[in-house]
Amino acid sequence: MNKYKAIILSLLISFMGASCEDWLYDNVNEDAAHEVLPQQVLPVVLFYSAQLQFDHAEYGAYLTQTLTTGGRNQTSSFAYKSGWGDFLTMNRHPQWRRHFYDIGVNAKEIIDEAHEAQAWNLELIGRTLRLMSTQMTTDLFGDMPRSEAYESNSPHYDTQESIYEWMNQEIEELIGMYEDSTYTEAATNIPIDQSIDRVFAGDLNKWKHYTYALKARLLLRKLPNWENNAATCQAIITAVNRALEGWEDVLYRFDGGNGAQNSPWGEAFGSTEQGGLGWEGRGNMLNSAVPTKYFMENILGVFESHNNLKGWAEDPRILAFMSARPGPSGTSDSGTEMRYLDTNIGMDVSYKVDNYPTLFPEVDGKKVSVYTQNTGYVPLFLEEELLLIKAEATYWSGDKPTARSLTMQAAEINFDRFNLSSIYGSSYTRYRNNYLGNETGTGNYVTTYFPADGFNIGHIMRQKYVCLYLQPEQWTDMRRYNYSCEENGIQYDNTYVYPGLKRPNNIYEAHWGDDPKAWINRINYDPETEEKYNKAELERLGAYKNYQWLRKPMIWQ
């Protein structure tokens, strides 16, 4: 992506509040922009940072078995939705292009030009977003270009170890700059308002706390397999505490309207394969998605039938995620229920997707989801995630009571995020107390989700699974704990972290049939670019058209 693409997208998302005159200089050539300032590119990088979150989460929603489809094919155009189908024949993985071409190229332009102009505020924001994108991308693909990423069409791939070394160095340098008024209050800094920075309107103090959160996320990768020790746990806790000192959720909000003005999780992109960004994007296709048995039974605790006293599930957030719909007319199952399917098992011939819950939930005719409305927001980082990162580190440091308290605090904040008091009205207190407990700490389901005796790492990670609904970290967490479940026999602290989880039904036998304990750990490199222009590097790694590459663990597994 070059400067002209940045200009085009700036115009496309001009709903950010600026006029064309604010974005562009007069051109020497009427058909080409002669200069693009870094503050003009920042809205583009922010927009694509939000899109990157969607790209990763859209895969993760199926790979974590939150969602499935009504089909049962071993293969499909979207391998992650079927039985871990043939990823190698997918023509593109949007996450790769999003990082290298949409965020990477433009962030590099911001950083280089801002550094030259000593506009340190723009440089800091650009580098923070680049680091976020780098971690997400290496956590999906593993080794990848970094040091030589923009030197040729066939750059050398850095090892994931070296990328993590660079990220740890980069985060320390960024924090040092954020803490230094020489940079944050420099006279050469360029004024940034809401039209340029849709997230924090240029407030470097808020960006600093987000950077501390990213540090906590980086350090978290050392748990539970890499460097799970007291020093690591304390470093994580310290980073979280610094982030929370002035925390504000990192949200990219959409105003609704035409095309990219809508949230990628919204209904505008809910029924189409094509996303709002042309061939590079992908619609969310939630209109063809179905909640899984694992999500409904093992995570939310769905009831066999609804009644007003109990609700739909032990976890009242179910109504913030979906709304029940009628079954097939003329059958014994025609009532309005929260139906679901085992992963990739397929629907009975009597059923259609419309007989399963809508993932664009409504209450009394009003849309209630904070994510799946056209005017929703995409989170880059939430307070709940911070608290649960701290809970995990606190747990592994040996302080289980504090870990439990933090986990419950995160759930309470998540209840507020999804506006459960508005959804349930006068019944909210009863549903809330059943799950989280009343003043005395008792509730019908507290001992299931937050037991005072026997609280374990699974309670933290399953709560995080819910709190990070439709967010990228959900799948990374599951991989960090190696899909710990009865089927693969992997335990942490003598417990199954994700009990009831199992590999998809009708799994793609060609790639997964030889080892019943093999699980997917990564995505193959984007065929549209890497197999065409960097085949030699893929062959050097052993990744070229090699389905075994999908099983290779990350360095933090």
Side-chain angles (χ1 to χ4, degrees):
M1 177 171 150
N2 56 26
K3 295 183 179 182
Y4 304 108
K5 187 174 179 184
I7 288 292
I8 291 169
L9 187 63
S10 292
L11 292 173
L12 176 65
I13 57 176
S14 60
F15 64 92
M16 289 178 178
S19 66
C20 293
E21 288 78 13
D22 292 322
W23 293 108
L24 303 174
Y25 285 114
D26 292 333
N27 293 328
V28 175
N29 177 342
E30 292 184 359
D31 296 322
H34 74 278
E35 185 176 12
V36 183
L37 298 180
Q39 63 266 40
Q40 295 171 320
V41 184
L42 181 58
V44 177
V45 175
L46 277 170
F47 174 81
Y48 278 126
S49 295
Q51 187 67 31
L52 181 73
Q53 310 295 317
F54 166 76
D55 293 331
H56 282 259
E58 203 260 339
Y59 275 49
Y62 296 88
L63 294 171
T64 59
Q65 299 189 32
T66 304
L67 303 178
T68 186
T69 67
R72 55 174 295 162
N73 294 329
Q74 289 193 350
T75 60
S76 74
S77 299
F78 308 102
Y80 54 94
K81 294 186 179 185
S82 56
W84 297 347
D86 193 355
F87 282 89
L88 306 184
T89 61
M90 288 184 66
N91 68 336
R92 70 183 189 278
H93 297 304
Q95 300 90 336
W96 187 266
R97 291 190 60 87
R98 200 73 66 214
H99 170 68
F100 286 104
Y101 299 94
D102 297 337
I103 295 174
V105 170
N106 286 295
K108 184 177 187 300
E109 185 171 328
I110 291 173
I111 294 163
D112 291 346
E113 296 190 17
H115 187 85
E116 183 177 351
Q118 296 187 356
W120 307 117
N121 55 343
L122 277 166
E123 178 180 334
L124 279 165
I125 296 171
R127 287 172 65 181
T128 298
L129 292 170
R130 179 181 66 179
L131 185 141
M132 173 276 298
S133 180
T134 300
Q135 183 181 25
M136 289 181 65
T137 308
T138 189
D139 285 348
L140 189 71
F141 295 102
D143 299 357
M144 67 182 200
R146 191 203 64 79
S147 58
E148 301 176 11
Y150 301 106
E151 294 181 7
S152 72
N153 286 333
S154 305
H156 170 75
Y157 277 49
D158 297 86
T159 65
Q160 192 175 37
E161 289 89 344
S162 69
I163 292 170
Y164 261 85
E165 289 174 3
W166 173 83
M167 288 191 296
N168 286 321
Q169 294 170 359
E170 176 76 351
I171 202 80
E172 294 301 332
E173 185 171 334
L174 283 172
I175 287 173
M177 292 177 70
Y178 276 116
E179 296 282 9
D180 188 343
S181 60
T182 303
Y183 296 102
T184 59
E185 298 177 17
T188 49
N189 284 346
I190 294 173
I192 301 175
D193 60 17
Q194 190 72 23
S195 68
I196 296 172
D197 173 6
R198 194 168 176 81
V199 176
F200 288 141
D203 188 329
L204 291 185
N205 190 52
K206 294 176 182 177
W207 279 105
K208 177 182 73 175
H209 290 96
Y210 174 45
T211 306
Y212 272 113
L214 290 176
K215 179 179 179 178
R217 190 186 276 172
L218 276 173
L219 292 170
L220 185 69
R221 296 298 184 267
K222 296 183 178 184
L223 303 182
N225 309 302
W226 191 357
E227 291 181 13
N228 191 346
N229 54 46
T232 294
C233 291
Q234 186 55 54
I236 293 170
I237 292 167
T238 299
V240 171
N241 288 343
R242 292 301 305 274
L244 288 172
E245 286 174 1
W247 182 255
E248 184 173 314
D249 287 335
V250 190
L251 311 176
Y252 191 97
R253 300 180 184 276
F254 292 83
D255 292 338
N258 297 316
Q261 297 173 0
N262 297 295
S263 169
W265 285 115
E267 287 190 87
F269 303 135
S271 59
T272 59
E273 174 182 332
Q274 200 69 22
L277 300 176
W279 71 274
E280 293 178 63
R282 180 172 295 132
N284 60 64
M285 291 179 280
L286 289 179
N287 277 333
S288 60
V290 177
T292 65
K293 177 181 179 181
Y294 175 72
F295 183 42
M296 299 291 269
E297 292 188 2
N298 296 86
I299 299 296
L300 298 180
V302 69
F303 300 128
E304 290 185 5
S305 60
H306 170 255
N307 72 56
N308 290 329
L309 288 177
K310 293 198 305 179
W312 287 104
E314 294 172 347
D315 191 327
R317 282 170 289 191
I318 190 170
L319 287 187
F321 301 152
M322 64 191 77
S323 295
R325 290 197 288 197
S329 60
T331 71
S332 59
D333 187 27
S334 60
T336 298
E337 299 290 347
M338 290 286 192
R339 296 175 183 81
Y340 49 89
L341 291 171
D342 207 357
T343 306
N344 208 49
I345 200 169
M347 295 181 293
D348 185 273
V349 293
S350 301
Y351 291 79
K352 298 180 179 179
V353 171
D354 289 346
N355 300 131
Y356 295 87
T358 174
L359 300 175
F360 302 103
E362 295 184 359
V363 173
D364 297 329
K366 181 181 179 181
K367 302 291 184 184
V368 295
S369 172
V370 297
Y371 299 148
T372 63
Q373 297 184 60
N374 293 335
T375 54
Y377 59 77
V378 170
L380 275 65
F381 216 115
L382 298 178
E383 184 176 2
E384 298 95 298
E385 182 181 347
L386 272 176
L387 291 171
L388 289 161
I389 287 174
K390 185 176 179 180
E392 188 178 345
T394 303
Y395 179 90
W396 287 118
S397 71
D399 187 355
K400 294 183 181 181
T402 299
R404 176 179 180 267
S405 177
L406 287 164
T407 303
M408 297 182 76
Q409 184 182 346
E412 181 83 71
I413 291 171
N414 203 236
F415 275 32
D416 292 339
R417 180 174 310 285
F418 291 117
N419 302 315
L420 295 195
S421 60
S422 175
I423 290 174
Y424 287 97
S426 60
S427 300
Y428 171 66
T429 300
R430 180 174 71 249
Y431 291 127
R432 180 234 175 257
N433 289 349
N434 276 340
Y435 191 82
L436 288 169
N438 54 28
E439 292 82 358
T440 63
T442 58
N444 289 347
Y445 315 123
V446 173
T447 55
T448 300
Y449 297 95
F450 313 98
D453 296 325
F455 184 80
N456 61 53
I457 187 63
H459 295 111
I460 298 172
M461 301 313 298
R462 292 192 295 275
Q463 187 59 228
K464 194 175 179 187
Y465 183 105
V466 185
C467 288
L468 298 191
Y469 175 69
L470 299 184
Q471 293 179 57
E473 279 290 283
Q474 194 185 47
W475 189 41
T476 303
D477 285 338
M478 188 170 276
R479 289 180 292 151
R480 277 197 300 117
Y481 282 88
N482 284 291
Y483 300 93
S484 167
C485 64
E486 299 91 338
E487 184 170 285
N488 61 25
I490 296 173
Q491 291 187 333
Y492 287 88
D493 201 21
N494 299 313
T495 190
Y496 293 115
V497 178
Y498 300 102
L501 185 69
K502 59 187 182 68
R503 301 199 311 171
N505 294 282
N506 302 301
I507 204 162
Y508 184 49
E509 293 288 341
H511 289 176
W512 303 99
D514 61 328
D515 182 357
K517 292 194 174 183
W519 292 68
I520 185 167
N521 289 320
R522 63 178 69 204
I523 303 301
N524 58 302
Y525 297 108
D526 186 45
E528 188 67 27
T529 57
E530 301 311 286
E531 290 187 8
K532 291 180 179 180
Y533 304 114
N534 216 358
K535 179 181 175 182
E537 275 294 279
L538 300 190
E539 291 177 331
R540 180 182 69 82
L541 293 173
Y544 180 69
K545 295 189 180 302
N546 179 13
Y547 69 87
Q548 295 281 355
W549 184 258
L550 306 176
R551 304 180 184 184
K552 184 178 179 180
M554 298 295 174
I555 58 173
W556 32 259
Q557 285 183 275

